Amino acid sequence: MEGLYAFSVGLLTACGVFLTLRGRSFPVVVGITLLSYAVNLFLFSSGRLKMDGAAVLGASESYADPLPQALVLTAIVIGFAMTAFVLILAMRSRADLGNDHVDGRLPPPPKDQKKC
Amino acid sequence: MGLFWIPLLPLLGTVVPLLSSRFGRSFLALFTAIPPLLALLLLLQLAPSVFNGEVIYQSFDWIPLAGLSLTFRLDGLALLFALLILGIGLLVILYARYYLSAKDNMGLFYAYLILFMTAMLGIVLSGNLIQLWLFWELTSISSFLLISFWSHKSEARKGARMALTITGAGGLALLAGLLLVGKIVGSFDLSVVLASGDLLRQHAAYPVVLVLVLLGAFTKSAQFPFHFWLPHAMAAPTPVSAYLHSATMVKAGIFLMARFYPVLAGTELWFLIVSMTGLITLLLGAYVALFKHDLKGLLAYSTISHLGLITLLLGMNTQLSTVAAVFHIINHAIFKASLFMAAGIIDHESGTRDMRRLNGLWKYMPHTATLAMVAAASMAGVPLLNGFLSKEMFFAETLDQVTLGSLSWMVPVLATLGAVFSVAYSARFIHDVFFNGEPVDLPKTPHEPPRYMKVPVEILVALCLLLGIFPGVIVGPLLALASTSVLGGELPYYSLSIWHGFNLPLLMSFLAMLGGLIIYHNRRHLFRFQSQFPEPDAKLIFEWLVQRLVRLCSAIIDKLENGSLQRYVFLLLLAALVLMAGPMIDLNATLGHQSSMPVDTVSLIGALLLAAGAIATVILNRRRLVSLLTLSVVGLIVSLAFARFSAPDLALTQLSVEVVTMILLLLALFFLPQSTPKESNPRRLVRDLSLAGLIGGVIGTINYAMITRPLDSISGFFLENSKTGGGGTNVVNVILVDFRGMDTFGEVAVLGIAALGIFKLIVHMRLYMPSTDGNGLPWSPDRHPMMLAIVSQSLLPLALLVSVYIFLRGHNQPGGGFIAGLITSVAIIQQYIAHGVDWIKERLRINYQWMVASGLLIAGLTGIGSWFFGRPFLTSWFDYFSLPWVGKFELASAMVFDLGVYLTVVGATLLILANLGKLTTSHSPAAKENN
């Protein structure tokens, strides 16, 4: 099981990395989302994998490590905020620059606009 | 007691001149002088106990673990410098009152001056190395402000920049040196450091420490080859030159060497570096000073030369030479400050500082001339003046040293040579300015300055005389005290009298006098000889170097920064991979560890779905809508994975975040191109794929290595104390709202900030709104289908009820503020989707910014509440109550905190989504701003 888990995390990371290396803003955002899944799973697993051991006192014999869970919980919510921020930034850059390139290949700006 | 008031009073005093500008210039100066005067009185009150051999010490802890504290320490050396700083500072305040013209912003000038005074006091009174360094940098900054005070002058700006660059760079070297000292000794406390001299001197890193600390000292004290900034700093108003560039700031480097004398001196290396630098500086300064036509230029090079002399004395490694150095610090401060003030008076009353035009001023200002001549004679080392005494001690010491072996005879000879030039330029200062014919073409007719402008000069010149005639009475005890603390205990025998009989030092003095006068008499030949050499302008060279450096930096930046995110990410990941290579090789025996759990069918199917989803997202990434759908599959499996591996809270959170994220991504996609054009060439694809594969492989391996190793967790504490200490059985939630409440508080604050940032980005966004979908088909005319509207409307109370339930049970069962907040947000967003913005606007009048703010406020206030019970921030409280019908129930302050979290999450989520949604309608924030 651990091997399968680690493989999935590695795969998610690889897919996320590949997408963040694309030249347009939207795939980069999707890539970041994938990466954040991978990171959350990775951090979560630092408490080791355990089934049927929710950290609710009295619910089972032994418990899963609650600390990584608490950390990952806030990480998920903040990850959402960050994804949203990057996304809106992407939209804003399209609105202001007129394209969604992030590879530095900007078309020459119109004369009345200053280069950003 | 009250030691910290000595630097604190001037610090508070920096605002006094700014506030009292309207009372007129005299009152402004008077008010400005009050805080330093109080500090001086306080210092005098503390002085007796220092004379009794006490070291006054006062410390406030700041970060004790990192060795950082606010520590003040007053010993003999610090007392001497503090007296100089405050005493001369007060005289300079009086002098500046008459020096500055009505056009100058006097309040600002005084504020800078007092700030500088604070910084200087901070250096000499610091009992902690890091604190010392901080004040050290503050002197660089305040001196920058003072040199560039007449900022309309280009030379003032350039001079200030040069001084800041040189002393600032030296300050960085000093910081490195002090950090090393702290590492070797194990403490930044000065008393501890001063007691570990042998440890430092025998340490392998001693040469590095020495060079770094000396770099700081030499740059500050204008020692060769860093001396060139000082003459250019003469663009400052003359009170600044008198205060900073003769008496105090340039002495900070000397102070540093004296301060660390007990721990760094006494070695061959110290002797070589310090004494040779001092000797070269002494000779160079004295020689160049003779050729300067600018009055202040002459004094600047003379200052460099005298600083070199003190450095040489400190470098000679004998106890007597150190006493002589301390003595010369006092003497030089007194006569040089008075000379600068006299030069300022001459400049002020005649309109020029050029000695080729200033001649015969004796007739116009006999009083000032007398004062200046006495001070200049002291500078030359004429008997009965204080300069003579320390110079005599200096000669005696040069004769005694033998460290250069058979070449030792050169030191006294060169010292005499330096003194010859010193006499020559002093003679020039006297003869050229006050005699030597008539003034040439002066802008003003010179006359005596205002009465009180001369008072500071008179006081200082009187001190020159008193010190020169009655040295033992006036300065003996202070000198002994300061020398004792420099030497770290023992004091050698010396006699402070004017007459020691006919001996070699006296002969050297005599030779210097004679030689100096001869040289001055034949100066025309020397000037002609010197004029054959082109004079290098340090300013031009310096500016050229700075510009080269800037150009080099921008060339590198242009190469690195081409605006391509792809390149940055690629380089970053590549660097991470390279850095990981080493540890990855060390990470052995991954194969030895085995999985503890067998793979079951459900997990296998989940993993396959996850892999399929992720790969599909990559392959289909150019068709954006489709890739979003496959992405959501991945998200769903991730939340299921959390559920499977005993993390119900995470599963709930991930699920609700997933919904919100998808809505957000879909909304954003509405405004963005529907597909990504095919741009990457095959080579790039291969490159990216290999990097991604490598990174993924490394991460997967590390993850495997981590989860197959035994776990040593601190969570036992949380499991044990969750119920008894936090009053809840859901340990994850108790950790969030109680044990690690501070973290959670920070994280919701980040959430709120991100939401506000997004709001600001949305407000001014001008977006092109597509009138058709990606395939060119028109949008459906039925924007809000009735079925959806009805169903979601009836779902709303149910969803809200669920979120209340999740919230309330959170402390004991999976749930809590985060999850409840997300569920509420999803429910409300559904109403937006089903009914549109108009419909919601009529019914739901909530300002989401206020919601975020009140959530944060509630969370913060809950935390502060525990202060009233004498507990640390965010200590939680809970108890059990019983009510009729309801039965026994629990109330915990953590629930109020969780309510704050809940409100922030709802506010932030809706702030983002609702505003983005509004962009599609006439209610867009941008449209509102235009109206």
Side-chain angles (χ1 to χ4, degrees):
Chain A
M1 184 70 87
E2 275 86 351
L4 193 64
Y5 188 93
F7 173 78
S8 309
V9 171
L11 183 74
L12 282 180
T13 312
C15 294
V17 166
F18 180 79
L19 285 179
T20 46
L21 287 169
R22 297 303 93 209
R24 301 295 185 119
S25 57
F26 196 77
V28 173
V29 176
V30 174
I32 290 174
T33 314
L34 274 176
L35 267 180
S36 66
Y37 290 148
V39 170
N40 287 339
L41 282 174
F42 185 94
L43 291 180
F44 166 68
S45 71
S46 70
R48 308 299 182 268
L49 303 183
K50 186 165 178 51
M51 289 196 210
D52 304 322
V56 177
L57 295 180
S60 59
E61 293 285 301
S62 64
Y63 306 107
D65 195 341
L67 189 61
Q69 295 193 14
L71 297 183
V72 171
L73 199 150
T74 48
I76 293 173
V77 179
I78 290 197
F80 159 70
M82 288 303 125
T83 310
F85 192 86
V86 175
L87 193 66
I88 306 297
L89 203 62
M91 290 172 63
R92 182 67 193 259
S93 91
R94 172 151 201 253
D96 289 357
L97 303 174
N99 66 65
D100 64 342
H101 279 274
V102 288
D103 51 6
R105 266 185 269 162
L106 294 180
K111 272 174 195 162
D112 54 17
Q113 261 182 329
K114 275 190 189 149
K115 201 180 159 195
C116 294
Chain B
M1 63 120 273
L3 178 58
F4 68 96
W5 280 105
I6 294 175
L8 188 62
L9 274 170
L11 183 65
L12 298 176
T14 48
V15 291
V16 171
L18 297 175
L19 295 178
S20 46
S21 302
R22 58 202 144 105
F23 297 114
R25 306 206 303 154
S26 297
F27 277 105
L28 174 58
L30 184 67
F31 289 145
T32 306
I34 290 173
L37 192 64
L38 289 176
L40 183 62
L41 292 177
L42 198 61
L43 186 69
L44 292 176
Q45 188 222 327
L46 290 173
S49 30
V50 180
F51 274 105
N52 286 336
E54 242 182 270
V55 173
I56 301 174
Y57 190 83
Q58 216 168 19
S59 183
F60 308 90
D61 272 344
W62 178 35
I63 310 176
L65 276 179
L68 295 179
S69 62
L70 194 62
T71 307
F72 294 103
R73 185 177 178 279
L74 184 68
D75 62 355
L77 184 66
L79 178 68
L80 168 66
F81 269 90
L83 280 175
L84 283 176
I85 293 161
L86 286 168
I88 297 185
L90 282 168
L91 295 180
V92 167
I93 291 174
L94 173 61
Y95 177 80
R97 150 71 185 85
Y98 295 97
Y99 183 85
L100 293 179
S101 70
K103 278 178 290 176
D104 297 320
N105 185 347
M106 206 165 173
L108 196 64
F109 179 82
Y110 276 139
Y112 291 162
L113 197 73
I114 303 292
L115 180 69
F116 170 78
M117 186 187 275
T118 311
M120 251 346 261
L121 286 170
I123 291 182
V124 300
L125 294 175
S126 278
N128 179 295
L129 298 190
I130 302 298
Q131 182 194 340
L132 184 150
W133 178 79
L134 194 80
F135 283 113
W136 180 276
E137 293 294 274
L138 191 59
T139 59
S140 294
I141 294 168
S142 49
S143 114
F144 172 81
L145 294 171
L146 282 167
I147 297 173
S148 62
F149 181 69
W150 285 326
S151 55
H152 54 276
K153 290 185 184 170
S154 144
E155 54 172 18
R157 295 195 303 269
K158 282 186 181 147
R161 201 162 54 196
M162 195 190 290
L164 183 69
T165 314
I166 301 295
T167 56
L172 289 181
L174 176 65
L175 176 64
L178 293 180
L179 288 177
L180 268 177
V181 170
K183 198 167 162 56
I184 294 170
V185 177
S187 167
F188 289 116
D189 193 88
L190 189 61
S191 308
V192 181
V193 171
L194 287 184
S196 8
D198 289 330
L199 179 69
L200 266 171
R201 275 186 294 260
Q202 281 153 20
H203 198 274
Y206 168 75
V208 184
V209 171
L210 183 65
V211 168
L212 286 172
V213 171
L214 286 180
L215 270 178
F218 287 171
T219 47
K220 203 77 161 184
S221 283
Q223 295 297 298
F224 178 83
F226 309 110
H227 61 283
F228 56 87
W229 69 264
L230 187 59
H232 291 283
M234 292 298 136
T238 302
V240 175
S241 309
Y243 192 36
L244 272 67
H245 305 126
S246 69
T248 53
M249 189 179 92
V250 289
K251 295 273 167 56
I254 304 284
F255 170 81
L256 192 74
M257 287 190 267
R259 181 87 285 176
F260 287 105
Y261 188 84
V263 288
L264 291 180
T267 60
E268 194 76 353
L269 194 64
W270 168 279
F271 167 77
L272 272 178
I273 302 181
V274 178
S275 64
M276 287 304 120
T277 310
L279 188 59
I280 296 172
T281 314
L282 161 69
L283 288 172
L284 183 85
Y287 181 73
V288 177
L290 182 60
F291 301 102
K292 288 287 151 189
H293 299 301
D294 178 13
L295 210 51
K296 277 176 83 178
L298 184 148
L299 290 177
Y301 275 99
S302 144
T303 304
I304 292 176
S305 163
H306 280 272
L307 291 169
L309 191 152
I310 302 173
T311 308
L312 173 58
L313 280 170
L314 282 173
M316 285 203 282
N317 269 343
T318 65
Q319 295 185 330
L320 271 174
S321 69
T322 311
V323 176
V326 174
F327 195 21
H328 202 66
I329 291 173
I330 306 173
N331 291 333
H332 177 253
I334 292 172
F335 69 67
K336 196 48 71 65
S338 58
L339 278 172
F340 266 113
M341 288 182 185
I345 290 176
I346 293 166
D347 181 16
H348 203 254
E349 305 305 339
S350 69
T352 181
R353 299 194 313 236
D354 191 334
M355 276 186 279
R356 283 165 298 192
R357 290 157 73 188
L358 289 167
N359 294 314
L361 288 189
W362 169 262
K363 276 179 284 186
Y364 302 97
M365 39 171 77
H367 191 150
T368 310
T370 315
L371 293 172
M373 284 191 287
V374 176
S378 175
M379 174 163 78
V382 172
L384 292 184
L385 293 165
N386 60 350
F388 169 71
L389 295 171
S390 46
K391 206 157 241 188
E392 197 84 334
M393 283 170 98
F394 164 61
F395 287 145
E397 282 317 301
T398 56
L399 287 168
D400 279 352
Q401 62 81 33
V402 285
T403 330
L404 277 186
S406 56
L407 287 178
S408 294
W409 61 270
M410 283 177 73
V411 177
V413 171
L414 290 174
T416 316
L417 188 65
V420 166
F421 281 105
S422 169
V423 171
Y425 67 67
S426 303
R428 184 171 183 216
F429 187 92
I430 296 173
H431 185 256
D432 236 5
V433 175
F434 297 113
F435 305 102
N436 199 20
E438 283 297 309
V440 186
D441 187 24
L442 289 185
K444 295 184 197 171
T445 311
H447 57 84
E448 286 285 351
R451 178 73 200 90
Y452 289 102
M453 197 172 179
K454 280 182 295 191
V455 169
V457 193
E458 284 164 353
I459 293 176
L460 290 169
V461 169
L463 274 175
C464 284
L465 279 164
L466 284 173
L467 272 177
I469 300 171
F470 311 108
V473 185
I474 307 283
V475 80
L478 186 60
L479 176 61
L481 184 68
S483 307
T484 313
S485 60
V486 175
L487 289 169
E490 23 348 2
L491 195 64
Y493 171 78
Y494 59 89
S495 109
L496 279 183
S497 56
I498 310 165
W499 181 250
H500 288 106
F502 290 103
N503 53 13
L504 269 177
L506 191 68
L507 180 68
M508 287 161 78
S509 281
F510 178 72
L511 283 177
M513 289 290 161
L514 198 66
L517 291 177
I518 290 172
I519 286 190
Y520 178 66
H521 189 71
N522 298 311
R523 63 189 181 280
R524 303 206 187 288
H525 305 292
L526 207 58
F527 275 43
R528 209 175 307 132
F529 172 70
Q530 186 62 23
S531 64
Q532 296 168 9
F533 299 98
E535 200 181 344
D537 189 344
K539 219 183 306 186
L540 290 180
I541 301 171
F542 179 79
E543 288 291 323
W544 180 79
L545 272 175
V546 169
Q547 278 173 15
R548 278 293 295 265
L549 193 66
V550 169
R551 233 175 296 154
L552 183 72
C553 290
S554 33
I556 294 174
I557 288 172
D558 285 346
K559 282 241 156 48
L560 284 177
E561 250 190 67
N562 64 347
S564 163
L565 179 72
Q566 274 174 303
R567 174 186 243 185
Y568 306 153
V569 173
F570 184 79
L571 290 178
L572 186 74
L573 291 173
L574 201 64
L577 208 55
V578 170
L579 287 178
M580 268 196 287
M584 279 302 283
I585 292 167
D586 291 341
L587 183 80
N588 49 12
T590 303
L591 293 174
H593 293 269
Q594 290 301 319
S595 299
S596 58
M597 266 188 271
V599 178
D600 55 294
T601 329
V602 181
S603 306
L604 189 64
I605 294 174
L608 285 177
L609 275 172
L610 182 90
I615 293 171
T617 310
V618 168
I619 294 175
L620 301 172
N621 83 77
R622 293 186 20 248
R623 292 163 64 192
R624 295 181 170 179
L625 187 62
V626 184
S627 76
L628 275 190
L629 296 181
T630 52
L631 181 70
S632 67
V633 173
V634 179
L636 193 65
I637 304 289
V638 170
S639 35
L640 289 177
F642 286 138
R644 182 137 190 93
F645 297 115
S646 318
D649 292 275
L650 290 191
L652 285 171
T653 314
Q654 180 70 56
L655 201 62
S656 31
V657 162
E658 197 53 39
V659 175
V660 182
T661 310
M662 278 307 140
I663 296 172
L664 182 71
L665 284 167
L666 287 169
L667 249 177
L669 192 55
F670 175 69
F671 294 103
L672 292 170
Q674 299 302 304
S675 61
T676 311
K678 193 170 179 153
E679 281 174 332
S680 305
N681 58 28
R683 199 161 357 127
R684 168 162 293 225
L685 278 180
V686 171
R687 188 193 81 172
D688 291 353
L689 274 176
S690 357
L691 183 70
L694 273 172
I695 298 261
V698 168
I699 297 292
T701 315
I702 295 176
N703 197 1
Y704 183 76
M706 178 175 76
I707 57 182
T708 50
R709 275 167 170 69
L711 172 68
D712 182 23
S713 168
I714 56 167
S715 295
F717 171 83
F718 299 126
L719 288 166
E720 274 162 30
N721 292 292
S722 173
K723 182 71 182 164
T724 48
T729 53
N730 181 6
V731 188
V732 176
N733 185 268
V734 175
I735 291 176
L736 281 176
V737 297
D738 192 332
F739 294 125
R740 309 293 307 167
M742 188 71 192
D743 292 354
T744 311
F745 185 54
E747 278 153 20
V748 288
V750 172
L751 188 67
I753 292 166
L756 287 179
I758 290 170
F759 178 68
K760 282 311 282 180
L761 280 175
I762 292 177
V763 164
H764 292 287
M765 186 135 60
R766 304 263 182 282
L767 267 173
Y768 152 78
M769 220 184 301
S771 53
T772 61
D773 73 355
N775 299 324
L777 299 173
W779 300 113
S780 157
D782 184 10
R783 298 183 60 150
H784 304 295
M786 193 168 140
M787 282 293 277
L788 182 63
I790 299 292
V791 171
S792 57
Q793 201 173 343
S794 52
L795 266 177
L796 180 66
L798 209 59
L800 290 180
L801 202 64
V802 168
S803 80
V804 171
Y805 171 67
I806 292 274
F807 177 81
L808 285 178
R809 72 174 213 156
H811 217 44
N812 292 312
Q813 294 288 320
F818 275 110
I819 302 166
L822 286 164
I823 293 175
T824 308
S825 316
V826 173
I828 295 177
I829 288 163
Q830 200 184 14
Q831 307 308 311
Y832 271 106
I833 296 173
H835 296 284
V837 175
D838 292 315
W839 192 87
I840 299 284
K841 250 182 90 73
E842 283 168 24
R843 288 162 180 79
L844 195 63
R845 295 172 195 280
I846 297 178
N847 183 330
Y848 299 125
Q849 284 107 299
W850 278 103
M851 201 158 171
V852 173
S854 53
L856 285 174
L857 210 60
I858 289 173
L861 286 177
T862 320
I864 290 172
S866 52
W867 285 348
F868 294 104
F869 300 96
R871 299 296 183 78
F873 188 64
L874 275 174
T875 310
S876 80
W877 162 93
F878 67 93
D879 207 347
Y880 298 92
F881 299 90
S882 56
L883 276 180
W885 296 303
V886 182
K888 191 177 161 195
F889 65 99
E890 181 195 351
L891 278 181
S893 67
M895 285 191 91
V896 185
F897 180 74
D898 220 10
L899 180 70
V901 173
Y902 170 84
L903 287 175
T904 314
V905 171
V906 175
T909 316
L910 289 177
L911 187 61
I912 298 168
L913 279 167
N915 279 306
L916 192 55
K918 278 181 197 165
L919 277 179
T920 58
T921 68
S922 57
H923 295 285
S924 88
K928 223 187 282 174
E929 286 235 335
N930 287 347
N931 300 338

